[in-house]
């Protein structure tokens, strides 16, 4: 999920923990002053940072200037998003909190801190990150490095405004007094609204998503004006659980509808469905983009051709509309002798729906042996008319090109 969703989840985790862990004056005490920096601020900020901690790897892997795309595809959501990785991150982050708590100039901000409490907050934060990243179609590898298999939830899009509303609304409605922090919430709400508006303007979501978002923001503001909701975190957990369960049901129905489509039911004995997924549509949880990779096996037993089939499913009508099947050729990597190239290795490790093919280029006198490029990608991001951000290119010399 996006980092705002992770941060809101961390803030909600802090709200569910006993307030005595933060020390100082509780916020429902008449002597509590929300405009003054108070002891025990570690609880909220440590939960927010821990919930985003696994994504710090992107600062090194993502280009430019420190990393490259192939390294990012190969290692992202690897060690840092595995069970062993988040356990190490939780312990290391707890050690850092302990050092800060012992430092005289920052000790007052760690009122109520103990190593056990710090480890609990850190573990819940990084654990929520792994769980939330499983929700979308990007996937996680929790058992890395022993098992490098990807697990995809296909429940919600990687940026979901309704998740923002549920998590942010619970924090806003469950806080008694904000003080100057209210200006930060105003700014955050405005920024999130602009993001949703921009996405709708770019036709990545229908216009009514912005209307629904604005309505939800107004409703949360009215609930907050009504007063503090003591059980706001419990209400949010119930709503979020119901939302995910409903999305899981829609994804299952979409996959069943795709298998019943005549195109996929009329496969020849030499064909097999290599992968099938229900990609959530931004802002519209009852719609899915179905992608199926149909592999054709050669007489020698090698996968030499793939047809990537696309279709759209609407949960309100229950109808599946088949779009098209586009021929792809991922097996050509072996024939071009580029299977051992670092980019090809990264592509095979990352892509869920492998697509690849030969792209002929103009003859260049400076490089007479250059005949073209082998372009690799993932059908998740290359669905028409989208642009595949994960696309990798390998220059293939003449002697590597099949005649």
């Amino acid at each position: 999920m996006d980092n705002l969703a992770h941060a809101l989840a961390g803030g909600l985790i802090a709200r569910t923990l006993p307030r005595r862990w933060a020390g100082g004056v509780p916020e429902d005490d008449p002597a509590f002053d929300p405009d003054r920096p108070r002891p025990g601020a570690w609880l909220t900020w440590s939960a927010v940072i821990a919930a985003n901690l696994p994504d710090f790897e992107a600062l090194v892997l993502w280009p430019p200037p420190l990393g490259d795309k192939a390294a990012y595809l190969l290692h992202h959501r690897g060690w840092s998003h595995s069970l062993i990785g988040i356990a190490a991150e939780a312990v290391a982050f707890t050690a850092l909190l302990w050092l800060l708590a012992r430092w005289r100039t920052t000790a007052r901000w760690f009122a109520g801190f103990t190593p056990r409490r710090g480890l609990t907050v850190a573990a819940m934060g990084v654990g929520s990150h792994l769980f939330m990243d499983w929700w979308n179609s990007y996937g996680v590898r929790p058992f890395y490095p022993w098992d490098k298999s990807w697990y995809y939830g296909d429940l919600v899009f990687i940026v979901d405004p309704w998740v923002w509303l549920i998590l942010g609304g619970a924090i806003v409605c469950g806080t008694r007094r904000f003080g100057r922090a209210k200006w930060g919430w105003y700014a955050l709400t405005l920024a999130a609204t602009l993001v949703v508006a921009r996405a709708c303007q770019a036709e990545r979501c229908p216009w009514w998503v912005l209307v629904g978002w604005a309505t939800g923001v107004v409703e949360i503001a009215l609930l907050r004006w009504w007063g503090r909701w003591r059980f706001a975190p419990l209400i949010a957990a119930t709503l979020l659980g119901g939302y995910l369960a409903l999305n899981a049901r829609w994804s299952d129905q979409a996959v069943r509808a795709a298998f019943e489509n005549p195109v996929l039911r009329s496969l020849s004995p030499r064909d097999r469905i290599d992968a099938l997924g229900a990609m959530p549509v931004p802002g519209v949880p009852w719609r899915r983009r179905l992608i199926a990779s149909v592999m054709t096996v050669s007489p020698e037993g090698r996968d030499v051709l793939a047809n990537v089939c696309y279709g759209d499913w609407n949960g309100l009508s229950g109808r599946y509309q088949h779009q098209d099947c586009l021929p792809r050729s991922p097996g050509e990597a072996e024939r071009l002798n580029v299977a051992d190239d670092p980019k090809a290795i990264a592509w095979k490790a990352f892509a869920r729906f492998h697509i690849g093919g030969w792209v002929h280029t103009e003859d260049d006198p400076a490089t007479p042996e250059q005949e073209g490029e082998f372009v690799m990608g993932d059908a998740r991001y290359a669905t028409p008319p989208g642009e595949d951000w994960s696309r990798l290119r390998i220059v293939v010399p003449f002697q590597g090109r099949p005649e």
Side-chain angles (χ1 to χ4, degrees), residues 162 200 205-215 282-287 316:
W162 315 123
C200 294
C205 60
W207 64 268
W208 60 259
V209 172
L210 178 60
V211 176
W213 165 267
T215 303
V284 190
W286 56 83
R287 288 183 55 196
L316 298 183

Side-chain angles (χ1 to χ4, degrees), residues 24-37:
V25 179
E27 66 177 23
D28 53 358
D29 192 290
F32 176 77
D33 184 0
D35 288 328
R36 295 186 58 189

Side-chain angles (χ1 to χ4, degrees), residues 213-236:
W213 165 267
T215 303
V217 170
V218 172
E219 290 178 353
I220 292 173
L222 291 176
L223 290 173
R224 180 65 185 84
W225 174 75
W226 189 299
R228 177 192 179 193
W229 292 74
R230 185 179 299 273
F231 299 105
L234 179 60
I235 296 173

Side-chain angles (χ1 to χ4, degrees), residues 234-290:
L234 179 60
I235 296 173
T238 303
L239 290 175
L240 188 59
Y243 180 65
L244 295 177
L246 188 59
N247 275 276
R249 182 171 181 268
W250 280 327
S251 292
D252 180 68
Q253 291 177 342
V255 171
R256 291 174 182 270
F259 273 118
E260 294 174 358
N261 184 267
V263 175
L264 296 183
R265 293 180 62 181
S266 59
L267 298 177
S268 69
R270 290 175 54 190
D271 294 337
R272 62 180 175 85
I273 297 180
D274 182 63
L276 190 147
M279 309 294 109
V281 176
V284 190
W286 56 83
R287 288 183 55 196
R288 294 291 188 273
R289 166 57 64 94
L290 272 296

